[in-house]
Amino acid sequence: MSTDTDPPGRDRWARLRFAIVGPLLAAPPPEGQLKAALDALAVKGWRHPITGFEVAFGVSTLERWYYAAQTRTANALSPSISSTKAFATSERAYGSRRLHKVLLEGGMLLVDIASGAL
């Protein structure tokens, strides 16, 4: 999914979060309309910044991102390093479990050469 020129996952997450809540920061909804705006964003599908799969985010998550971006520095939408490492660890574990299952079943494992994804 990624190449050598792609930004780190942490930056890709920050960009996705800003792409989602940024329009609300640039043009805040009228008083009392924030919940409706967040509800509308919560039903949309978004491209996961690491896997590329479609994902959706809950209203409470979007609300947390919105207030973090509104009240903190530019790094507010960037995930913590520990959460980025935890995601990478879980992705490796998933790949290992899948490989083990396929090998036990005597099947073939298809690997996307470009991305290295199983």
Side-chain angles (χ1 to χ4, degrees):
M1 181 75 208
S2 64
T3 65
D4 291 339
T5 59
D6 284 343
R10 179 182 166 111
D11 291 345
R12 286 186 270 167
W13 269 107
R15 290 177 184 177
L16 172 67
R17 291 172 177 179
F18 187 75
I20 295 171
V21 300
L24 296 177
L25 298 170
E31 186 144 348
Q33 297 297 313
L34 178 60
K35 171 120 174 53
L38 293 173
D39 286 338
L41 292 173
V43 298
K44 289 181 71 174
W46 306 93
R47 183 177 298 218
H48 191 284
I50 308 297
T51 66
F53 294 125
E54 187 170 312
V55 294
F57 301 102
V59 172
S60 62
T61 298
L62 299 174
E63 184 177 29
R64 185 177 70 246
W65 293 351
Y66 173 76
Y67 286 117
Q70 193 177 45
T71 59
R72 293 193 211 149
T73 66
N75 290 329
L77 296 176
S78 185
S80 68
I81 290 176
S82 61
S83 70
T84 305
K85 286 181 180 178
F87 177 78
T89 301
S90 69
E91 284 294 297
R92 280 194 304 275
Y94 169 75
S96 296
R97 287 191 308 272
R98 183 163 178 226
L99 175 61
H100 182 72
K101 180 179 179 210
V102 169
L103 292 175
L104 284 177
E105 294 171 355
M108 289 183 60
L109 181 66
L110 301 176
V111 177
D112 181 352
I113 300 300
S115 70
L118 300 176

